[in-house]
Amino acid sequence: MSSNPCSSGSVGGGGGSSSSSCGGGGGSGSGPCGACKFLRRKCVPGCIFAPYFDSEQGAAHFAAVHKVFGASNVSKLLLHIPVHKRLDAVVTICYEAQARLRDPVYGCVAHIFALQQQVVNLQAELSYLQAHLATLELPSPPPPPPPPPQTLMTPPPLSISDLPSASSMPATYDLSSLFDPMVQPSWAMQQRQMDPRQFGGPCSSPTGGGGGDLQALARELLHRQGSPPLGSVPCTDVSSSPSLSK
Amino acid sequence: MSNSSRCAACKSLRRKCPQDCVLAPYFPSNNPQRFSWVHKIFGASKITKMLQQLPVELRGEAADCMAMEAYLRVENPVYGSVGIIYQYQQQIIEVQNEIIKINGEIAVYNALLQHQQLQQHQDSFFSTDNDFNL
């Protein structure tokens, strides 16, 4: 997701952008970027927020980010991220900020819980089907039928290999789906398995001093995310990524 | 409050920990790392404000969730929690594909079984017919 931030379909910084094709930052005659507009400060060239928050509706998005994370925290975070990754970071930060404002208790963690429960349910269904398949006795291949008086249609040979395999499914990272309505947090909370208390809350298990199973799971998933080649970072669908100017 | 009984937040911020410290119940001194994640991502004042706006009975859950989000963002500065969401979405796709595959195998089995049964029925029908003709 490293599109030209000046393109109309993606995030645009007010009249300025720090991308190579747009040059300079905000405040160069096109008005301040959305972040500086919100903060009521001068938008200097090279403003770190300018490429991602345009002056029109970017301010509204930035308001959410500022309320939850604070401008200086986000600025520091972006400074430590390579430029070509900052758009993804801004999108995900906006998502988390909006989720937190929508649900001040669980934030985007409600979405994680909902997905986790969905995985559990699907795996249960898969296990059931696998067990069912294992109990089926495969019939012996039918003998070649003698030519009957009436012509009968013999079914074509069926092949399991004709079925689609998981590996043939494209893996796209569509950040626009983040902005779909989330599952009701109350339902997600009832179903949750990923226990944030394992992140060392005072009510956590005696062994949860630094995380526990959840940390191990998070580390494992993050490690797997980073390990594959070429898409060592999941590729993002540029065309469908939400514009922060919306 | 003495230095030794300060919560992790106040210890990190090098301030006195009052009796009514908002953060103390959720950031105990035995887990300083938890507060460091939250401090780095949200900031002390933001998290204090967010917790203060919630009913007391919900603050524990909120603090735990924010600690998780902060940890995930520290571990993955670009995608944060979305990285985990993505992984789960991919896992869901994989499992759904497996389910489709297995349903297909079951359908193949049923089709083969039906075919075999049909053949057996026809064989018995024609052999009966031959006997009849005799």
Side-chain angles (χ1 to χ4, degrees), chain B residues 88-101:
Chain B
Y88 276 130
Q89 287 174 337
Q90 289 304 106
Q91 205 173 343
I92 285 168
I93 290 172
E94 287 171 10
V95 176
Q96 284 174 335
N97 287 342
E98 283 299 312
I99 288 173
I100 290 171
K101 193 170 176 179

Side-chain angles (χ1 to χ4, degrees), chain A residues 88 92 100 133 137 152 202 209, chain B residues 25 31 69 78-79 105 109 122:
Chain A
D88 282 1
T92 57
R100 178 61 52 185
L133 188 65
E137 290 181 7
L152 290 177
Chain B
N31 191 2
E69 279 185 50
V78 178
Y79 297 102
E105 291 181 18
Y109 166 81
Q122 286 174 349

Side-chain angles (χ1 to χ4, degrees), chain B residues 9-133:
Chain B
C10 293
K11 220 181 249 185
S12 169
L13 298 170
R14 291 180 189 153
R15 67 185 188 195
K16 279 186 186 171
C17 191
Q19 289 285 349
D20 59 349
C21 177
V22 175
L23 302 178
Y26 318 109
F27 299 99
S29 56
N30 62 352
N31 191 2
Q33 197 176 30
R34 175 175 151 102
F35 181 75
S36 76
W37 299 328
V38 165
H39 183 45
K40 186 173 181 180
I41 300 302
F42 293 98
S45 60
K46 293 282 179 196
I47 190 158
T48 301
K49 207 183 290 183
M50 284 194 277
L51 289 177
Q52 278 175 329
Q53 288 169 352
L54 294 172
V56 175
E57 60 271 18
L58 293 176
R59 290 181 188 177
E61 292 277 350
D64 290 338
C65 291
M66 284 191 267
M68 184 198 294
E69 279 185 50
Y71 165 76
L72 292 174
R73 182 62 64 176
V74 166
E75 289 290 305
N76 187 348
V78 178
Y79 297 102
S81 304
V82 175
I84 298 291
I85 289 172
Y86 171 74
Q87 292 286 348
Y88 276 130
Q89 287 174 337
Q90 289 304 106
Q91 205 173 343
I92 285 168
I93 290 172
E94 287 171 10
V95 176
Q96 284 174 335
N97 287 342
E98 283 299 312
I99 288 173
I100 290 171
K101 193 170 176 179
I102 290 193
N103 278 331
E105 291 181 18
I106 292 173
V108 167
Y109 166 81
N110 288 332
L112 287 171
L113 188 63
Q114 262 188 340
H115 178 74
Q116 190 179 42
Q117 288 170 348
L118 183 63
Q119 284 297 317
Q120 286 171 354
H121 176 72
Q122 286 174 349
D123 291 347
S124 65
F125 175 79
F126 287 120
S127 63
T128 305
D129 188 49
N130 290 337
D131 290 339
F132 179 77
N133 285 339

Side-chain angles (χ1 to χ4, degrees), chain A residues 145-182:
Chain A
Q150 299 175 6
T151 303
L152 290 177
M153 295 292 293
T154 55
L158 300 173
S159 170
I160 301 294
S161 60
D162 291 339
L163 293 172
S165 67
S167 60
S168 66
M169 297 297 293
T172 57
Y173 193 177
D174 183 3
L175 290 180
S176 65
S177 65
L178 295 176
F179 292 84
D180 290 338
M182 293 191 301

